[in-house]
Amino acid sequence: MSCFKVIEGGLLSLIQDNGRFGLCHKGLTQSGSMDEYAYRVANNLLGNPHNTNCIEITLGGLKLECDDACTISVCGANAKFTINNQTADIWRTHNLHQGDILEFKFATSGVRVYLCVKGGFNIPQELGSCATTIKEGIGGLNGKSLQKGDIINFFPHAIQKEHRLHKADFIPQYTQNLKLRVILGYQDGYFDPDEVEKFFSQTYTISSENNRMGYKLKSDPIHCKIDGIISEGISFGAIQIPKDGQPIILLKDRQTIGGYPKIGSVLPIDCFKLAQMRMGNHVTFEPISIDLAQEKMKLFYESLGY
């Protein structure tokens, strides 16, 4: 059998892919890989199609036994990664043999590690995606995180004869400070100019309320002229300002509608970087025009072969 056996599931290890689209009107969130850069590079190293599924490992703790020869790639957070207790580099491919043991220790910088296998994991799609959404109980293995004893099948394949590495110049450094580019939205008029200026001038600390749904920040509160809006659809990266004035940046597992005013939206490629930050790290904001934002997004996906 071509599979991995889960020896330890870690804090939160999930089957993910690009996510589930076109279903927000039914209340189903997008989900998908939080850091698309690391996820897409890991698949590119294996020559996989762009939507190939992966395991997203949050902080570490995952331990697997391989039951058939295969080629894998590992990209993302700086978690010590071992094969049979021997330290192995990430941002590259590795060939495995039957009985090999993979282990991911806890990350020292960054949050999320991506493990891909050549050809992908043999997991049926639900509503067009393998992405696991725990709160909705769909995707992955029965809509849950990986647990001890789980079996993750993969498609048998010939191992790659040559190892592939990601260029060192393009490996991100996961720092504790990040500047996020923001497209102001049509609701920015709900905020006085002084409040908008404050939003862009102060430094925020990432609170303990951060997960796949969103990151809540802490700083001097931003005041809004209204208490709320009629609930409406929410985009990836939308910045809600709730009544306590502390911004919430909504990410892949966000709710589909919400009634807090939004001052703008973080550039999606910056949300991928945010997904590698943790409680206590700091972020600042700077505005970006919609035209430049679109150009940045185009360049990002073109650089990854889209």
Side-chain angles (χ1 to χ4, degrees), residues 7 14 52 66 70 78 118 137 153 209 228 232 240 245 250 286:
I7 300 172
L14 301 169
T52 303
C66 179
C70 63
N78 294 312
K118 190 172 181 64
N153 295 316
E209 298 175 77
E232 61 180 18
Q240 289 183 326
L250 294 167
E286 67 175 3

Side-chain angles (χ1 to χ4, degrees), residues 182-286:
V182 172
I183 306 116
L184 285 170
Y186 72 98
Q187 292 173 359
D188 61 352
Y190 292 144
F191 302 87
D192 287 332
D194 288 350
E195 294 299 312
V196 175
E197 183 179 348
K198 182 167 67 175
F199 172 78
F200 282 113
S201 63
Q202 61 185 2
T203 298
Y204 294 86
T205 302
I206 295 175
S207 77
S208 60
E209 298 175 77
N210 70 84
N211 51 37
R212 286 183 49 86
M213 187 173 176
Y215 273 40
K216 187 165 187 177
L217 311 177
K218 287 184 177 178
S219 193
D220 191 17
I222 302 298
H223 299 289
C224 183
K225 293 187 284 188
I226 61 173
D227 289 335
I229 59 173
I230 297 173
S231 291
E232 61 180 18
I234 298 176
S235 67
F236 178 56
I239 308 167
Q240 289 183 326
I241 308 293
K243 291 181 179 178
D244 65 4
Q246 305 297 343
I248 303 170
I249 302 173
L250 294 167
L251 300 173
K252 290 295 183 71
D253 282 3
R254 65 192 178 278
Q255 70 275 23
T256 55
I257 60 173
Y260 293 130
K262 297 174 283 294
I263 198 168
S265 188
V266 175
L267 188 66
I269 55 178
D270 289 356
C271 290
F272 306 155
K273 298 175 184 176
L274 178 65
Q276 293 289 4
M277 302 194 78
R278 58 181 69 179
M279 183 179 69
N281 290 171
H282 299 102
V283 300
T284 55
F285 296 106
E286 67 175 3

Side-chain angles (χ1 to χ4, degrees), residues 76 108 129 136 163 181 234 266 279:
T108 54
S129 171
E136 292 164 357
H163 291 298
R181 291 163 289 187
I234 298 176
V266 175
M279 183 179 69

